[in-house]
């Protein structure tokens, strides 16, 4: 009898495994989730419901009577019973979804207030990949652990390529392993980690995920670290991550514990900063590697007297450092279509190309188009936007900036309810290591242009005094001056929105007033308001 019972149990388990494996998801989350839960032995599982939208407030008209009638009193009694029931329904575990208006496909998933366990994530790994239009997953206070976070990260690559936003708020983790969401192979563009008790150690892991000397996150566009426990040391780690990161556009550190020391570190990377010894060594290595690759690609190397050994010697001794810098300027940008006309008009451009051409002497003619195209393909490690044919780098950056321009002015979160073409920013673009950017030599030190890719920085409600405020004033003055220069047309120009309100200084502080005055014409939202007000003023 025991043998028969054992065989029956094995048969039942086999059938259960067969059901789990053979079920083909339909792409309708409500049906798929319920069916998979039933097959996996769930009896009481959360229901999939459409996310409720806030109803407009009702304004009673003046003609209505102020005294309630008997029917109104009866109605109010039944409403109170219904409202009591609705409160219980509200706290009942559900999976809320937001649908596309056209085809009713799931666009966003919201789970809040109930514990998401390992087996629920296992079911999600089966049914979420069939959601072809899924753009965002929001998990608020779902009791994540470091283990379940690892499981959650493992299912993200299975989902549709349209998934770009992940919000994990109110999920403090003992090991603070949130940086795993920003791994090199991550496709997340928008990440919100508010209210997770992230301290300086967690900020260190996140800063290293943004960039190190040999690695960099290339897909993350916005990062919300508001309402955490990040102090000066943690802000310094985030600033270190911004040194060589050229993809992050939007950063919120609001409601943290950052004081002047951390503010100074953040301000330092937004203007020209001195390279460390390790960064200088890595820059020289990259320049030598780039030069050797260009010489190996050039077919005309052996026909000229400038020998390879002599050039290598000059580079090692630092003699040709200026020429290499000029190389960076001309070869990090692809040649636009109209450049041939400019060459005919301006002899200087031709001379620069002759000087920086791979394996060519100063007396040699203009390099061939094929060679210049080949030379432009250097090794890529850390991103910065380059010009592409027909489309300038400026155009690509505008598409990213449109997200920031439409963000809420409160600075707490981006408005993700936009058409998907504005959200899916992870397009393939050619990148160049920021260490290969043109540098400035002063007093034997090497200074690199600051991070001008970051457009939005929120430091609301920290502990910054006038000391830190002065540092940000210097940044804003530098970036405003840079925006007026001719070189600004070649790429990003720095912060468009900066929030320093509710810190430890007076709102009437002269430095704060000057920052606001300088940032006002740069703020895209204030520009739009000004344009809208102009026709109204002219009509009156």
């Amino acid at each position: 009898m025991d043998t028969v019972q054992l065989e029956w149990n094995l048969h039942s388990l086999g059938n259960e495994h067969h059901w789990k494996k053979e079920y083909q998801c339909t792409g309708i989350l409500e049906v798929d989730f319920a069916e998979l839960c039933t097959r996996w032995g769930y009896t009481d599982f959360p229901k999939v419901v459409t996310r409720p939208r806030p109803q407009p407030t009702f304004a009673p008209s003046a003609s209505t009577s102020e005294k309630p009638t008997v029917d109104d009193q009866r109605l109010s009694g039944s409403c109170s019973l219904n409202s009591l029931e609705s409160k219980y329904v509200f706290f009942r575990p559900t999976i809320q979804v937001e649908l596309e208006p056209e085809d009713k496909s799931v666009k966003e998933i919201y789970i809040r207030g109930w514990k998401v366990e390992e087996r629920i994530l296992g079911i999600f790994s089966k049914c979420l990949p069939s959601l072809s239009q899924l753009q965002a997953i929001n998990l608020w206070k779902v009791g994540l652990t470091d283990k379940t976070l690892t499981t959650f990260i493992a299912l993200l690559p299975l989902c549709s390529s349209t998934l770009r936003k992940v919000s994990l708020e109110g999920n403090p983790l003992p090991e603070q392993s949130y940086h795993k969401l920003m791994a090199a192979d991550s496709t997340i563009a928008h990440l919100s980690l508010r209210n997770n008790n992230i301290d300086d150690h967690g900020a260190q892991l996140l800063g290293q995920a943004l960039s190190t000397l040999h690695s960099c996150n290339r897909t993350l566009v916005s990062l919300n670290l508001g309402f955490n426990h990040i102090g000066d040391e943690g802000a310094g780690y985030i600033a270190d991550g911004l040194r060589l990161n050229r993809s992050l556009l939007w950063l919120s550190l609001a409601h943290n514990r950052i004081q002047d020391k951390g503010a100074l570190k953040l301000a330092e990377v937004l203007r020209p900063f001195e390279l460390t010894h390790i960064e200088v060594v890595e820059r020289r290595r990259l320049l030598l590697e780039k030069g050797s690759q260009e010489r190996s690609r050039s077919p005309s190397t052996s026909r000229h007297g400038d020998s390879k050994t002599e050039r290598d010697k000059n580079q090692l001794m630092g003699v040709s450092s200026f020429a290499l810098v000029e190389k960076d300027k001309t070869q990090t940008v692809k040649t636009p279509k109209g450049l041939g006309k400019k060459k005919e008009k301006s002899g200087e451009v031709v001379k620069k190309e002759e000087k920086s051409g791979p394996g060519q002497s100063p007396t040699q003619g203009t390099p061939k188009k094929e060679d210049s195209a080949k030379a432009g393909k250097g090794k890529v490690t850390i991103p910065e936007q380059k010009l592409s044919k027909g489309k300038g780098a400026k155009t690509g950056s505008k598409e990213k900036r449109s997200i920031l321009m439409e963000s809420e002015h409160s600075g707490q979160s981006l408005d993700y309810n936009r058409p998907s073409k504005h959200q899916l920013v992870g397009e393939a673009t050619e990148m160049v290591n920021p260490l290969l950017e043109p540098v400035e030599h002063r007093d034997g030190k090497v200074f690199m242009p600051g991070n001008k890719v970051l457009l939005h920085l929120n430091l609301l409600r920290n502990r910054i005094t006038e000391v830190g405020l002065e540092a940000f004033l210097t940044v804003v003055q530098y970036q405003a001056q840079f925006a007026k220069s001719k070189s600004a047309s070649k790429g990003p120009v720095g912060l468009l929105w900066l929030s320093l309100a509710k810190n430890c200084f007076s709102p009437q502080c002269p430095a704060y007033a000057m920052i606001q005055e300088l940032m006002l014409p740069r703020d895209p939202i204030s520009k739009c308001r000004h344009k809208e007000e102009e026709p109204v003023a002219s009509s009156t």
Side-chain angles (χ1 to χ4, degrees):
M1 186 70 180
D2 292 340
T3 306
V4 174
Q5 184 66 36
L6 179 62
E7 289 179 355
W8 174 254
N9 290 340
L10 290 174
H11 178 70
S12 301
L13 288 173
N15 286 339
E16 183 182 354
H17 177 72
H18 177 75
W19 289 347
K20 293 177 186 177
K21 185 177 179 182
E22 292 300 323
Y23 179 73
Q24 298 294 326
C25 292
T26 62
I28 304 173
L29 184 59
E30 184 178 1
V31 175
D32 294 338
F33 185 76
E35 180 65 25
L36 287 170
C37 284
T38 303
R39 291 178 179 231
W40 283 49
Y42 272 98
T43 55
D44 186 18
F45 50 85
K47 292 185 178 180
V48 178
V49 297
T50 304
R51 190 186 186 205
R53 286 293 182 181
Q55 298 296 327
T57 56
F58 174 71
S61 61
S63 60
T64 57
S65 173
E66 295 181 0
K67 295 181 180 180
T69 62
V70 176
D71 292 336
D72 291 336
Q73 291 175 354
R74 290 174 182 173
L75 182 61
S76 64
S78 61
C79 287
S80 63
L81 181 61
N82 291 335
S83 63
L84 187 63
E85 291 177 355
S86 66
K87 286 181 180 179
Y88 284 105
V89 172
F90 176 81
F91 288 108
R92 189 177 298 164
T94 58
I95 300 172
Q96 298 182 354
V97 297
E98 190 169 322
L99 306 177
E100 289 281 6
E102 294 85 7
D103 55 1
K104 302 300 180 183
S105 58
V106 175
K107 181 173 67 172
E108 295 197 36
I109 293 176
Y110 298 83
I111 299 176
R112 52 183 297 141
W114 55 274
K115 188 174 179 61
V116 174
E117 299 175 343
E118 196 88 23
R119 55 180 183 171
I120 287 288
L121 293 174
I123 294 175
F124 281 157
S125 67
K126 300 292 184 183
C127 59
L128 293 190
S130 62
L131 305 178
S132 60
Q133 300 300 319
L134 182 62
Q135 298 176 17
I137 298 177
N138 304 269
L139 305 180
W140 183 78
K141 291 190 176 182
V142 298
L144 283 181
T145 63
D146 290 284
K147 183 180 178 181
T148 53
L149 176 64
T150 302
T151 305
F152 174 73
I153 293 172
L155 73 83
L156 292 179
L158 305 176
C159 298
S160 170
S161 60
T162 57
L163 178 60
R164 284 291 183 270
K165 178 198 168 188
V166 171
S167 176
L168 304 180
E169 300 184 359
N171 293 284
L173 302 178
E175 298 178 12
Q176 303 190 57
S177 52
Y178 308 100
H179 63 284
K180 294 179 181 178
L181 291 158
M182 300 161 55
D185 57 347
S186 171
T187 59
I188 298 174
H190 308 285
L191 179 61
S192 181
L193 298 173
R194 293 195 306 170
N195 198 24
N196 284 328
N197 297 341
I198 298 174
D199 57 17
D200 291 341
H201 173 64
Q204 180 181 14
L205 299 175
L206 292 170
Q208 291 171 351
L210 284 174
S211 78
T212 62
L213 197 62
H214 303 289
S215 66
C216 182
N217 180 285
R218 304 184 182 188
T219 56
L220 194 64
V221 175
S222 70
L223 177 61
N224 196 334
L225 298 175
F227 294 89
N228 282 293
H229 302 159
I230 299 173
D232 285 340
E233 190 177 350
Y237 292 129
I238 299 295
D240 290 340
L242 294 174
R243 288 174 74 92
L244 300 178
N245 181 287
R246 295 297 181 267
S247 63
L248 191 69
L249 307 180
W250 193 99
L251 174 64
S252 176
L253 290 166
H255 294 266
N256 275 279
R257 302 171 180 178
I258 301 171
Q259 301 181 33
D260 289 330
K261 186 178 178 182
L264 291 172
K265 293 285 283 183
L266 289 167
E268 179 186 352
V269 298
L270 301 178
R271 62 177 187 268
F273 57 85
E274 179 186 352
L275 292 180
T276 64
H277 174 71
I278 298 176
E279 289 170 339
V280 171
V281 171
E282 178 66 12
R283 172 181 163 80
R284 288 175 180 170
R285 187 192 69 79
L286 291 172
L287 287 171
L288 287 172
E289 185 178 278
K290 183 180 176 183
S292 62
Q293 287 179 353
E294 289 168 352
R295 286 193 300 275
S296 64
R297 291 191 185 111
S298 175
S300 58
T301 305
S302 60
R303 295 185 304 200
H304 300 282
D306 189 11
S307 65
K308 179 181 178 181
T309 56
E310 185 177 353
R311 287 195 307 274
D312 287 346
K313 184 179 178 182
N314 288 340
Q315 287 175 348
L316 288 170
M317 294 175 64
V319 174
S320 59
S321 61
F322 178 78
L324 287 170
V325 170
E326 291 298 319
K327 250 184 187 179
D328 297 344
K329 291 181 180 177
T330 55
Q331 292 179 355
T332 52
V333 181
K334 285 189 178 180
T335 307
K337 291 181 180 179
L339 188 58
K341 296 180 182 179
K342 292 182 180 179
K343 287 181 182 177
E344 295 174 4
K345 294 181 181 179
S346 172
E348 294 179 0
V349 178
V350 178
K351 287 179 183 178
K352 282 185 180 179
E353 290 184 356
E354 288 173 0
K355 185 174 182 180
S356 60
Q360 294 180 351
S361 64
T363 57
Q364 190 179 353
T366 307
K368 293 181 181 180
K369 189 174 182 180
E370 294 177 359
D371 297 344
S372 62
K374 288 180 181 178
K377 296 180 181 178
K379 184 178 179 182
V380 291
T381 52
I382 302 180
E384 186 191 15
Q385 293 179 355
K386 288 177 66 177
L387 287 172
S388 57
K389 291 183 180 180
K391 244 187 185 182
K394 195 174 178 183
T395 308
S397 60
K398 274 184 180 177
E399 185 173 351
K400 281 188 175 183
R401 288 182 196 179
S402 63
I403 303 173
L404 283 307
M405 292 178 181
E406 296 172 353
S407 64
E408 293 182 0
H409 214 61
S410 63
Q412 295 305 319
S413 62
L414 282 170
D415 185 3
Y416 296 104
N417 300 322
R418 303 289 179 194
S420 58
K421 64 181 181 179
H422 292 301
Q423 295 180 8
L424 309 182
V425 185
E427 299 175 355
T429 54
E430 289 194 42
M431 303 294 182
V432 65
N433 193 316
L435 287 174
L436 294 177
E437 292 176 357
V439 297
E440 183 181 353
H441 297 268
R442 296 200 306 254
D443 301 327
K445 299 176 182 179
V446 183
F447 286 83
M448 181 178 168
N451 185 329
K452 299 187 187 70
V453 176
L454 187 67
L455 305 181
H456 178 117
L457 178 60
N458 188 353
L459 290 167
L460 178 76
R461 288 191 183 277
N462 277 275
R463 303 171 184 176
I464 302 170
T465 70
E466 294 185 16
V467 176
L469 198 63
E470 291 288 343
F472 279 107
L473 176 59
T474 304
V475 168
V476 173
Q477 288 173 334
Y478 162 74
Q479 292 188 351
Q481 190 66 30
F482 176 82
K484 296 177 182 177
S485 63
K486 294 180 181 179
S487 57
S489 59
K490 299 178 182 179
V493 295
L495 293 173
L496 301 181
W497 197 87
L498 174 64
S499 176
L500 292 165
K502 309 294 183 181
N503 275 277
C504 299
F505 56 80
S506 172
Q508 286 76 34
C509 174
Y512 183 59
M514 193 172 297
I515 288 176
Q516 289 183 308
E517 183 180 347
L518 290 170
M519 290 302 299
L520 188 61
R522 295 167 66 86
D523 185 358
I525 296 179
S526 65
K527 283 182 180 179
C528 294
R529 287 175 181 170
H530 182 67
K531 288 180 180 179
E532 290 174 358
E533 289 171 359
E534 278 182 353
V536 176
S538 60
S539 62
T540 54

